[in-house]
Amino acid sequence: MKLDEKIPCGIKCGNILKRIAMRYFNSPQKDCHNIPVKLIDFVFDKILKKIIAVSILLALVACSKLEAGEAAIETSVSSDGQWIAVLSKKETKESKVRIMNINVKKWIDINAPALTSSIRFGRNGSDLLLTNFKSEETSEAELVLIKLASNDYKRITVYKGFGLAFPLEVEDGQYLIRACNPASGLSCHRAVGVHWLLIKNNVVQTQYVSKSALNYSQPNYIQNIGFYWNIYKTDSSYMPEAIGFRLNGSEIKDDILPLVEITEGAPKCDERNYRCIKTFFKYKNERKVIFDYGIAGYLNGEICQFNGVHGYIDGISITPNGKYGVASLAKDIDSPRNVVYITFDSQKCLPKDIEYLKIN
């Protein structure tokens, strides 16, 4: 699991403090019956209390750093490049979705439902797909379509299920989406029965049994072939592999991958598998929680780095036609996010234009 996937801080720090408590208060691996009580009291008062206090302080400092990830946003750009959408505070009651028409340059809050979990534009430039949980107590969720061209931003329910997230419109009116076991809760973490569904007209056409590493990110889609995620071999070669499925349900093979050697950041690719973009580390210091990313492109065998783009990046996205890309960008993990809007020339690896859009 990558650090920028934002493990919930309460869980992580809770485990730290629990281990400290078990270590010094109630460890089943220690037998203290033969140690004099006065000696135990003396050691606890003079030494262990200080150790525990320092450990808790360090844990809380680490926790405050991780909680900065709550500033993370999710971004998407429409296939015609006219619309940008931003999701902040995902899976909370304060979830907010803002949109911008690139010609107007003004952010609009579209009053998205609480507990919104993911966003992505469909194949029609003005159609925004959105998933949200119905409550904090259940994994019941829905996939919603919002037609931005209607101006009233009316929500149309496309499908109801459990743990829905990461929607992708494969063809007009046909959607791929992650789903989870009904008992899995909001996040589907460690859930049994996580899978992907291909749906049309509210009917499941195909179900794909997922592997755990694939449950928490948007897949790449190759038109009329299937969908996949890039992962990397654990040996020193860092060569990419593909894990995914053809539309008929069979597993996808490595021969569909763009041949890119990369050591960080899985690429996001267009539906021809011709153009990809990815993040990479320009600098990192894990102890100080400093991660400075850049963005690189790939076009039919050529690799290029985008000059001038660097900072903390939550994620990137590219349109199915490969003409537009979008990413979040901040000075560091604690700082407010803004948006990088990227326009491509069809024959060049480097962008035709990069525009920085401030989120108000």
Side-chain angles (χ1 to χ4, degrees), residues 53-71:
V54 171
S55 300
I56 291 174
L57 178 61
L58 292 174
L60 292 175
V61 169
C63 194
S64 67
K65 284 289 185 182
L66 286 170
E67 283 180 335
E70 292 177 0

Side-chain angles (χ1 to χ4, degrees), residues 25 44 68 86 142 157 176 191 197 217 250 301 309 312 316 331 356:
F25 290 99
F44 182 78
V86 172
E142 60 182 1
T157 300
L176 177 73
L197 303 176
S217 64
S250 63
V309 181
Y312 188 83
I316 55 174
K331 180 180 178 182
Y356 298 89

Side-chain angles (χ1 to χ4, degrees), residues 219-222 226-230 242-244 252 256-258 269 273:
N220 289 313
Y221 171 67
I222 306 176
F227 57 99
Y228 70 95
W229 296 257
N230 290 101
I243 293 181
I252 224 160
I256 58 89
L257 267 178
C269 303
N273 227 15

Side-chain angles (χ1 to χ4, degrees), residues 26-49:
N26 192 28
S27 173
Q29 299 176 350
K30 285 187 174 290
D31 183 1
C32 298
H33 292 295
N34 295 322
I35 302 176
V37 173
K38 289 184 178 180
L39 179 58
I40 293 175
D41 290 342
F42 174 83
V43 172
F44 182 78
D45 287 335
K46 300 299 182 182
I47 302 174
L48 294 186
K49 275 186 177 179

Side-chain angles (χ1 to χ4, degrees), residues 306-345:
F306 301 173
N307 295 328
V309 181
H310 73 94
Y312 188 83
I313 298 174
D314 298 304
I316 55 174
S317 180
I318 192 169
T319 55
N321 56 24
K323 293 182 178 180
Y324 305 95
V326 70
S328 67
L329 186 67
K331 180 180 178 182
D332 52 50
I333 192 173
D334 297 327
S335 298
R337 269 54 169 175
N338 293 303
V339 172
V340 180
Y341 172 65
I342 308 167
T343 306
F344 293 102
D345 184 300

